[in-house]
Structures are given as structure tokens and as C-alpha cells.
Amino acid sequence: MKTKILTSTFWIFFIVISVLFSSCDGFLSTMPKGAKTPSTLADYEAFIRNEYTTQCTDIMQAVLLLNDKFETASNYNYYPLRKANYFWDESANRIELNNTDEFTYYNGYAAISSCNLIIENVPSVTGATDAQKNELIAQAKVIRTVVYFVLANYYADTYDEATAATKLSVPLIESADLNASYKQVTIQEIYNYMLKNLEEALPYLPHEGATALHPTIGAAYAMYARIYLEMGNYDLALQNANKALAENSALYDWTLYYQTNKTQIENANDYTATTSPMGIDNVENYYFRHGTTYYASSESKIQVDRRNRFEEGDARMAARWKLKTVGTDTYYTSTLVGLFNYGGLTTTEVYLIKAECLARDGKYGDAMDVLNTVRQKRILPNVYQPLTASTEEQAINYIRRTKDNELIFSIVPFADARRFNKETKYARTLSKVVDGTTYTLTPNSHLWTMPFPMGATNNPGNGTIIQNVDK
């Protein structure tokens, strides 16, 4: 199925690169002789299938800040920005250090440009019905929303109703024109824009997409739920979570995967890779989106203490990583190979959104029932016990533990940590000891907001970009 999804023709690559680096007024006029200019619905639909740009999301620095990834000394010494985030160095000037680590910004806006291209040009293509054109435009709007959510929760402060209308977020670019003007909007404006995109897309989305890269109506409801949860609107988050689950409520059974691969998993010295079940065919997918790169053949290593934050008997964890020592480094190394849905939308996330919303409403038993529905497919039967909670704090801490582990390496744990940091009872100070030195990351640290890359601020194009963080 992967080969049916992947499209990497030259003209797609050329247009994306042109969007980023050309100074021409319109990129369709920059096509070289012999290159194919997109003109049909199929041509524009190919942008949706472009897994190298449209379907990639890089959030490496956020993953490092959470310390969800084990980073080698050679890596963080070679990349000072990684070291600053990994060791929570508040004295580091990350703005100056972010002069090479620009993939998050440029790849995000390349994906947005592809979506803008579809939205602007598909209405005028011939040889397609209005229904076909409206569906493709709607899917581009969902993807554009997914990307803006990442950018807004990476380069700007977390949503807070009290300050959202005054604090700046990220540049809002609605045109695929290279020299189009744009505005760096407020946090409230970018959230309003994301909701508007979903509202416009919903009537035209299919119940089942052509591929897992094509968002469905379930994906839109799931994205609604994610955004409303981030905004603290638990009623609307719950309503949309229920609508998404009405479209798809399937959960992948990791305990069965464990049993199928038990011999390899339980052999501490067997590092043979097994096939990732987290790819395009996973039953949980509303919408599949890659992580950092399309060619991520295995998962990142995780630290020993990060592994300890998984539940005992977690089959998903045991099937994905295994303890290994190389030289002076000890970590959990990946034992899966294939594709991983780090950037998309899944039923697991929606179940856990629903659980938190129920807990916020005082329905602790219902919240735990939803959480346990997920846990039954994760925790080995000989270990599994249903969780119960009698307070909001207890329920949410259980839900958060599962969610942080289930969605590791996605934007969600980072976005969740930021919004929880606003609440005294849920704010956490992260701490670790390395070579006898204690490092901490406080809930109010400026490190929770990433700086725009210097390439963007120094060359803003037809607009202006103001940093959202001092360093």
C-alpha cells in the first residue's frame, strides 16, 4: 500500500523548493522547460500524497526538551541547540543557535503552501466534478490545520484565554504565491483560523479516504477535539471526540502483537527488528502523517528513566524498545522497523481526550472506563488491573501518564505539558541527574516556546516576524 501512496515526481519537489527559496511573484511561472505544470485534479491530489513535505512533521527540539529521546553526547555536542534544550539550559541564546535547525519551520510552511496551492487552484480545474474538487479542498484544509497546530504550539506560547488576543503566534499564510503578503497573527486568531478551516471542510469530507494520507470526517472531528482541549473548552472537545469515535472507535491490540512476537521480545539479547504496526494500515488511523522524516525506518532511542514512566506490563513499550549498552551509553533501542504515525490523528488520542473531558466534568468513573478501554489493549493480561479514581487530579494523572506514553514523539505530549503548566495542581518541574549534575526544567521556563529560526526572521519576505521568546 505504501507504493500506492508515495508520489515524488520532480514537479512536486520543484514547486515546494520554489515556494521556499524563489523570489518570483508566482511559482507556477517558474516551472523549467519540460517540467509538468499541475493542471488536473490528479496533479493537485498528488500534493496530498507527497510524503516528503506535505506529510512530514519535525518536532525534534520539543521531543528533546521533554527528554523523551535519548541523545548521544556526540550529537548534542555537535548540535548546540539540541544540547540547550536537552539540558534545559536557560542561559543559552537559542535564537542565535537556531541558524541551522530550521526544518520544522520551513517544512511546515512548505506543507501549508502545498495545501494553499490545492485550495486556490482546484476550483478551476476541468474534468472533475464539484464533489471531487470540494473533497480535495476540504482535505487540504484539514492538513493545513494540523500543520498550523504544530507551528502554533511550537513557536508560540500555549493558548490562554486571558492573553490569546494579545500575544503573537505564527505567520498566517493563505496564499501559495511566493511574494504574497502575510501577517503574524495572535494566538486567538490562529486558533480561530484553525476552527474555521475545519468548519469549512466538514461538509465535504468522506467517511473513508482514498489513502490514510487523505483526512476523513473522523479526522476533522478528532482535530476539533484536540484544538478545543487545548483551548480548555471541555464540552466541545468531548462532543467532537464522541463524533470522531462514532466514525472509528477501533483500537489496535498490542497485547496480541506481544504474544505473536513474544520469543523475540522476551529475549534480552535479540535485537532483531519486527515490523511496525503503527503504519498506514493501523486500524486506529483517522489520518496518517509521518514524524520527522519519511524515511524514519526505526524509532528514536529512549532514556532508561523515560522507560520507567511506562506502566508495568505495557506491551506497547516492550514491543518497541529493548535495553542496550554501547560503550558508556545505556538506553532503550528501537526494535521496530517501518512507518510510524507520529504526526496524524488516531482513535487512542481521541479516547484519552474524551477521558480527560469526563474527568474535568467530575465523571471519574466514566473517565476511568474510557481510559481502561485503551489500557486493556496495552497492558498484558497477567498484569492488567482496571484503574479507579475518586478525584479529578487522580483521574487526570492516570490519563496523562497513558497519553504521554501512547503519543510519545508526537506534538501532543509537548502541547499537553504546556497547557498543564498553566494549572498549579498539574504543573510539573522536570528533573534529571547526569554525571552527578542535577538539571531542572520549571513549568514557567521560557524554554517551553521555541524560537523562530534566524533564516525566517532575517529574511521574512513580504511580512514581518517578531520572536515570541527572548532567547
Side-chain angles (χ1 to χ4, degrees), residues 402-414:
T402 296
K403 194 175 182 188
D404 284 349
N405 292 333
E406 286 288 319
L407 301 175
I408 190 171
F409 302 144
S410 78
I411 192 64
V412 174
F414 183 70

Side-chain angles (χ1 to χ4, degrees), residues 218 220-247 286 349-364 366-368 370-371 399 403 419:
Y221 285 134
M223 195 63 205
Y224 258 135
R226 179 190 286 183
I227 292 170
Y228 280 126
L229 183 72
E230 191 70 26
M231 297 176 74
N233 190 330
Y234 305 116
D235 288 340
L236 287 178
L238 179 59
Q239 288 178 31
N240 283 281
N242 283 330
K243 289 177 181 178
L245 292 172
E247 292 291 319
Y286 293 113
E349 179 184 355
V350 174
Y351 272 108
L352 297 173
I353 290 173
K354 178 176 180 176
E356 181 179 340
C357 292
L358 290 169
R360 297 278 189 176
D361 194 32
K363 298 174 181 176
Y364 312 131
D366 292 343
M368 291 299 95
V370 175
L371 174 60
I399 295 162
K403 194 175 182 188
R419 68 182 176 86

Side-chain angles (χ1 to χ4, degrees), residues 266-272 322:
E266 294 187 352
N267 184 341
N269 298 312
D270 185 356
Y271 296 98
T272 304
K322 190 170 291 185

